Amino acid sequence: LGFDRFRINEDNKGASLYVYSRESGRLIKCEPDARFMLGLNASGSMYCSGLTVLIDDIEGKLPLNPTKQDVAFGEQANGEVHKDNLYAWVGSVTKFFYEYHLEKFDKKKTRLTAKIKEFGSELVQTQLKEIDRSQVTTFHAKFKHYGKRSIR
């Protein structure tokens, strides 16, 4: 989960979702604007600023279609429940992440976007660690349940 300083200058700046499968060893799903799918406000520029969501199926728990090029929730028992739960949790974490960073800039999207654009245009030439071997910032949060389905 993060902000993509290169994609922020493109016309389509909506929250992108990328799903990687360790079982197939590649990117299996790319959604250019996943705000609606994740239950986020999809109108205007909210949850934009090059916001990028990565799902890395480290343990191979996502069901793949026969060609291993997409997620196939319908291939497993209770697949729709798995799909709904996955996207609800990812959406909640994404909302928390975005609002956490937006708060740093007095909830001004233009200030957040300007700060992200400051990171420069040069690619980082450093070898990065794999996600599952990295130390990352962690938060301890309690999600509130609203109505029957929302965990926001």
Side-chain angles (χ1 to χ4, degrees):
L1 192 56
F3 297 100
D4 185 344
R5 68 174 189 227
F6 295 108
R7 205 170 48 78
I8 200 168
N9 293 316
E10 296 175 6
D11 290 336
N12 182 6
K13 298 184 287 186
S16 293
L17 172 70
Y18 299 92
V19 180
Y20 292 89
S21 169
R22 297 286 176 104
E23 184 178 330
S24 68
R26 64 178 180 254
L27 174 69
I28 57 169
K29 184 172 187 68
C30 175
E31 193 70 38
D33 188 354
R35 292 179 293 174
F36 181 77
M37 178 188 297
L38 298 176
L40 303 171
N41 182 346
S43 64
S45 61
M46 197 64 175
Y47 304 104
C48 288
S49 302
L51 184 62
T52 304
V53 180
L54 303 175
I55 297 177
D56 185 357
D57 186 22
I58 294 171
E59 295 181 6
K61 300 291 185 190
L62 291 177
L64 302 177
N65 68 7
T67 61
K68 297 185 185 274
Q69 295 179 350
D70 199 358
V71 182
F73 290 104
E75 297 292 318
Q76 67 178 182
N78 301 310
E80 281 300 309
V81 173
H82 185 180
K83 176 182 176 182
D84 291 346
N85 286 339
L86 175 67
Y87 292 140
W89 277 104
V90 172
S92 293
V93 171
T94 301
K95 180 178 181 185
F96 171 79
F97 177 87
Y98 185 82
E99 291 180 1
Y100 172 80
H101 289 287
L102 190 61
E103 185 71 34
K104 294 177 187 177
F105 300 96
D106 300 321
K107 297 188 179 195
K108 306 278 189 219
K109 294 179 283 187
T110 53
R111 290 183 58 207
L112 172 63
T113 300
K115 188 64 174 180
I116 295 166
K117 286 181 178 181
E118 284 180 18
F119 282 99
S121 60
E122 296 299 317
L123 288 174
V124 176
Q125 299 299 325
T126 307
Q127 179 68 32
L128 301 175
K129 294 183 207 173
E130 293 177 13
I131 291 174
D132 57 338
R133 293 195 174 122
S134 298
Q135 290 184 331
V136 294
T137 303
T138 59
F139 296 92
H140 298 283
K142 287 190 173 191
F143 293 99
K144 295 179 182 176
H145 293 269
Y146 294 97
K148 294 181 180 177
R149 301 190 63 192
S150 180
I151 56 173
R152 310 242 187 269

